[in-house]
Amino acid sequence: MFENLSDKLQSTLQKLKGKGKLSEKDIDLAMKEVKMSLLEADVNYKVVKTFVNNVKERALGSEVMESLTPGQQVVKIVHDELVKTMGQQGESKLKFNPNDITYFMMCGLQGAGKTTATGKLARKLKKDGKKPLLVACDIYRPAAIKQLEVVGESVGVPVFQMGDKTSPVTIAKEATKYAMKHGIDVVIIDTAGRLHIDESLMDELVQIKQTVKPEEILLLLDAMTGQDAVKVAETFNQYLDITGVILTKVDGDARGGAALSIRNVVEKPIKFLSVGEKMDQLEIFYPDRMASRILG
Ligand code: GDP
């Protein structure tokens, strides 16, 4: 991810670093290049505008103009603003219920990589010493239940299912009873993914949310769909007030537009990156590390 953007930003900033003093014209020119690079990376237009304005304002201020190494100061500002665009320190941490069973709800469109990421998350929680349970609430897609069972087995986490004739809300309720009986502390609900967002999908998700009152509502978004992923996030967030995003298929996304836009547009943090098909390919999202990766 970010290969092109990274090359372009680095070459723009290198030119600034090569100069002794910086004029307003130098900054203007560099910011035009930064803007183009971000737009080419498919970053949301409003996010680009805010980003460039913020960098420019600071770059023209005394912290740069009076500095002995103005070029380096601009690099630092670009880094800071990239971090700010992608999130805040600590917000990728998952929330747990300290006194009772914790519920996570996994949502997203079909094919986004929800089932895969659900397995990865269960694996991570188990490694962290939790006792998770996967719950099969996608009763519509043929083979969804089986797929979750396969994933559950591969990471050694039990799967609760009631076939495809019981309503997802009832399944979620029954899963609670199972969890209490078996000493489960985190229940991860795999909800139905549809090809498009529709009212009945959203109503069902809202009902599940009201039933289990989840600590986390995690939305799975395919990074390769760029700004479409951002639109999907806006809609799910309107209905569900999500708590975070897991960006999937990041390994196949050369541009990075979704990663750089979501936090700013939807005002919800990216919590994890799914970077491959294998169960251990889940990374915690750290905005500062990502910014450093972009700027090299
Ligand atoms: P769901 O319909 O949202 O549950 O999606 P799945 O979890 O079934 O994933 C759809 C396809 O994308 C499968 O072929 C997965 O192996 C693949 N996939 C999921 N996550 C990733 C990822 O992070 N990287 C890559 N390259 N493929 C992924």
Side-chain angles (χ1 to χ4, degrees), residues 213-228:
K213 304 197 173 43
E215 273 66 31
E216 296 278 357
I217 302 177
L218 299 171
L219 177 63
L220 282 295
L221 292 174
D222 179 343
M224 279 165 35
T225 61
Q227 292 311 299
D228 278 344

Side-chain angles (χ1 to χ4, degrees), residues 44-85:
N44 175 282
Y45 182 71
K46 278 194 212 145
V47 175
V48 175
K49 236 170 110 179
T50 310
F51 178 86
V52 170
N53 285 344
N54 288 352
V55 173
K56 207 158 152 180
E57 194 176 306
R58 286 181 60 190
L60 291 173
S62 55
E63 69 178 307
V64 170
M65 290 309 175
E66 288 163 18
S67 145
L68 293 174
T69 51
Q72 259 158 19
Q73 292 300 316
V74 176
V75 175
K76 186 178 167 296
I77 292 171
V78 170
H79 180 275
D80 289 354
E81 294 295 327
L82 276 175
V83 175
K84 243 169 61 186
T85 303

